[in-house]
Amino acid sequence: MSRRRRRQEIQEQDSGSGWMTTFSDLVTLLLTFFVLLYSFSSLDAGKFKSLAQALQSALNVQADVFEGNDPSGEVPIPPIIQPSPTPKPPVEEPEDLHHDKITKFYGQIKEAIEGAGLAADISLSTNERGVIVEIKEHVLFDSGRADLKPRSREFLDRLVPIIDGFDNMIIVEGHTDNVPMSSEEFPTNWELSVTRAVRVIRYFHEQKGMDPSRLAAEGYGEYHPIVPNDSDENRTLNRRVNLMILVPEDGEEDGTG
């Protein structure tokens, strides 16, 4: 066999075995790929979290995206937190404002009456209209009569500066018990109660110079008792003269200055 022929056979043998090398490299790469896939699928969550914390410390950033046990690569989206609305201060209703005004005025009247030494003969209360100054009957009138007693004038003289210090409207109310009246001057308790109220406002105006446009008289007779008329003691309580000092609501003329 010639040398040339032998060399040709050797070259043919070398070219026929070359594909084995390429195939071996491909199999090795595939094996490496599947090993990596397996290692990712069995990732240790504890080690992954430790790695995330280390990265957070190194980079000084939040590592929320590394937290959790799901290594799928999905980044959790934090919930959107709406800011809490700023609470608005409570708005007082007109009724509350009016009640506060009456309460304040009640305190002023009470302090003045106590300072004048009149508290023993006067009771104070309030309603939705204003402040009620209740004067016991025996302070101003004898039973069944409508003439002011001499000592009642001294009492009213000490009371007038208190109520005249404000511009409020004053309604003087006369009240009696249920004992019937049958005199020529007072046929019923209505006449007695309203006459007593008129005598008081006339004294305020004629003797003390109070503005008559601020004064009014009303007589309720026996029909607005504060306690049942079932005993002498209760009937004494029902015989009274009230000064209803009106406290205007907002929008009305305010006379509490």
Side-chain angles (χ1 to χ4, degrees):
M1 180 180 297
S2 64
R3 182 178 298 177
R4 183 177 181 181
R5 183 177 178 85
R6 183 172 179 80
R7 187 182 300 114
Q8 184 178 2
E9 289 178 354
I10 293 173
Q11 291 177 350
E12 290 177 354
Q13 289 177 357
D14 291 339
S15 62
S17 61
W19 67 271
M20 291 293 295
T21 302
T22 303
F23 179 75
S24 298
D25 292 340
L26 177 62
V27 170
T28 301
L29 289 173
L30 288 174
L31 179 61
T32 303
F33 176 70
F34 284 114
V35 169
L36 288 174
L37 287 180
Y38 176 76
S39 65
F40 286 147
S41 65
S42 59
L43 182 63
D44 190 332
K47 293 181 179 179
F48 184 79
K49 189 171 184 179
S50 299
L51 175 61
Q53 293 174 346
L55 288 174
Q56 180 184 12
S57 300
L59 300 176
N60 195 24
V61 297
Q62 292 188 348
D64 294 341
V65 296
F66 297 105
E67 296 181 355
N69 297 326
D70 185 7
S72 63
E74 295 183 0
V75 179
I77 300 176
I80 299 176
I81 302 176
Q82 296 293 341
S84 301
T86 303
K88 296 181 179 180
V91 179
E92 286 193 274
E93 297 294 331
E95 294 81 1
D96 296 332
L97 294 174
H98 185 54
H99 179 269
D100 292 343
K101 184 187 292 188
I102 291 175
T103 301
K104 179 181 178 180
F105 188 58
Y106 171 89
Q108 294 173 333
I109 294 294
K110 183 174 184 293
E111 181 180 1
I113 286 176
E114 290 176 349
L118 301 176
D121 296 316
I122 288 178
S123 298
L124 288 179
S125 60
T126 63
N127 61 16
E128 69 280 0
R129 302 173 68 192
V131 178
I132 302 171
V133 179
E134 179 185 313
I135 306 172
K136 306 296 187 296
E137 177 207 40
H138 68 85
V139 176
L140 301 179
F141 304 102
D142 290 325
S143 179
R145 303 291 301 275
D147 297 320
L148 288 171
K149 297 165 61 173
R151 67 177 297 267
S152 70
R153 300 174 186 273
E154 178 184 350
F155 177 87
L156 293 177
D157 289 347
R158 295 161 61 191
L159 179 62
V160 166
I162 297 174
I163 60 176
D164 201 28
F166 304 91
D167 296 330
N168 302 62
M169 179 75 180
I170 299 173
I171 301 175
V172 181
E173 303 174 343
H175 297 269
T176 68
D177 58 24
N178 64 342
V179 176
M181 288 294 300
S182 58
S183 67
E184 181 177 350
E185 184 179 7
F186 307 117
T188 68
N189 282 318
W190 270 324
E191 282 84 3
L192 175 62
S193 62
V194 74
T195 301
R196 286 177 169 177
V198 169
R199 297 285 170 83
V200 171
I201 66 171
R202 286 187 60 186
Y203 185 82
F204 285 163
H205 169 55
E206 296 173 0
Q207 302 299 322
K208 308 308 296 182
M210 289 184 63
D211 182 359
S213 65
R214 295 177 51 207
L215 304 173
E218 296 179 354
Y220 291 96
E222 62 197 76
Y223 301 106
H224 287 74
I226 55 177
V227 292
N229 284 295
D230 53 8
S231 66
D232 290 340
E233 181 179 355
N234 283 356
R235 281 189 285 271
T236 299
L237 294 176
N238 287 329
R239 297 193 299 267
R240 66 202 189 277
V241 173
N242 290 345
L243 307 184
M244 178 74 248
I245 307 177
L246 303 181
V247 176
E249 298 187 21
D250 289 341
E252 299 179 355
E253 184 178 353
D254 192 346
T256 59

